[in-house]
Amino acid sequence: DIQMTQSPSSLSASVGDRVTITCRASQNINTYLNWYQQKPGKAPNLLIYAASYLQSGVPSRFSGSGSGTDFTLTISSLQPEDFAAYYCQQSYSTPPYTFGQGTKLEI
Amino acid sequence: QVQLQELGPGLVKPSGTLSLTCAVSGGSISSDSWWTWVRQSPGKGLEWIGELHHIGSPNNNPSLKSRVTISLDKPKNQFSLKLSSVTAADTAVYYCARVVAGRAAARIIYYFDSWGQGTLVTVSS
């Protein structure tokens, strides 16, 4: 299985900050990488697919980059509703789909 | 827009079988999509369980070995999960979701675009 490792596991930030979350794959996954946001008590919500493509309806302050084994999710200017957990997921080699362990973004 | 809702008991006894159904509305289960289950143990990350397309064989997470059965009920437009021989380690929030194939440049990539709200299943006597 392909292992996905996110860093940091948790992050404290303030409204208006620029934030970057990193995801590393245990092997080359090209750009077969998706990002999800999960708020407490809610299901995950797709933000970005194929490493850099913004899902319809997602604010443009979210962006993704990377290829191969190293990827980043960037929030350009944090808003109050962005405080949540973020997960990366690979869809290069399935089954199984595998997720990162998550990054909790806190105030 | 497709909507999904998980249904099923919230408590299962150890060594029993966990059974959940996902009701799909706003779209057909016979469309060109995969239908999948994901779980999240309390305070933990996301674990993919398995998926099924209306054409073809299911794919399951090898970590769950042969305990998983996923099936479709086309007349009712729903799909189901059965997880046998459960233990406390199977206590989790279970989500159903739709997997779609998106196009990115010249590639096809699969991602989970619609999710149910999740249901907590506790394994306890």
Side-chain angles (χ1 to χ4, degrees):
Chain A
D1 298 358
I2 297 176
Q3 306 302 315
M4 308 300 294
T5 304
Q6 289 181 233
S7 61
S9 296
S10 64
L11 175 61
S12 294
S14 301
V15 173
D17 283 354
R18 180 183 179 90
V19 167
T20 297
I21 297 169
T22 297
C23 177
R24 175 165 289 176
S26 60
Q27 66 183 71
N28 185 349
I29 60 169
N30 202 295
T31 56
Y32 292 87
L33 190 283
N34 307 314
W35 288 98
Y36 298 85
Q37 176 193 64
Q38 186 180 33
K39 296 182 179 179
K42 301 293 186 181
N45 181 53
L46 178 69
L47 296 176
I48 288 171
Y49 63 95
S52 61
Y53 288 72
L54 201 63
Q55 172 70 345
S56 176
V58 174
S60 59
R61 62 181 180 273
F62 291 92
S63 64
S65 64
S67 67
T69 60
D70 295 316
F71 302 87
T72 58
L73 171 70
T74 299
I75 309 172
S76 61
S77 178
L78 272 175
Q79 298 302 300
E81 60 268 28
D82 300 337
F83 291 94
Y86 293 85
Y87 294 90
C88 62
Q89 175 210 36
Q90 68 83 20
S91 60
Y92 176 79
S93 177
T94 63
Y97 291 96
T98 48
F99 294 86
Q101 82 280 13
T103 295
K104 188 174 183 180
L105 181 52
E106 302 172 305
I107 299 175
Chain B
Q1 181 176 348
V2 68
Q3 293 183 315
L4 300 93
Q5 183 176 7
E6 302 88 352
L7 303 165
L11 182 64
V12 181
K13 293 187 185 313
S15 78
T17 296
L18 179 159
S19 295
L20 294 173
T21 296
C22 182
V24 179
S25 58
S28 172
I29 205 163
S30 297
S31 64
D32 192 21
S33 299
W34 291 80
W35 304 96
T36 193
W37 291 93
V38 176
R39 70 181 182 180
Q40 185 170 35
S41 301
K44 298 292 182 62
L46 299 162
E47 179 182 26
W48 179 75
I49 297 170
E51 65 181 356
L52 183 59
H53 194 276
H54 75 98
I55 299 173
S57 301
N59 296 315
N60 295 334
N61 194 327
S63 69
L64 295 170
K65 299 181 181 178
S66 58
R67 297 197 295 135
V68 172
T69 302
I70 298 175
S71 59
L72 299 185
D73 186 334
K74 294 181 183 180
K76 293 184 178 180
N77 210 44
Q78 62 188 30
F79 63 105
S80 299
L81 168 69
K82 292 188 185 300
L83 180 65
S84 63
S85 305
V86 297
T87 69
D90 295 309
T91 294
V93 175
Y94 286 76
Y95 296 99
C96 58
R98 184 178 72 170
V99 185
V100 298
R103 188 171 295 276
R107 296 191 178 97
I108 299 293
I109 182 167
Y110 292 92
Y111 49 82
F112 300 4
D113 78 327
S114 300
W115 297 66
Q117 82 279 7
T119 187
L120 174 63
V121 179
T122 301
V123 178
S124 175
S125 55

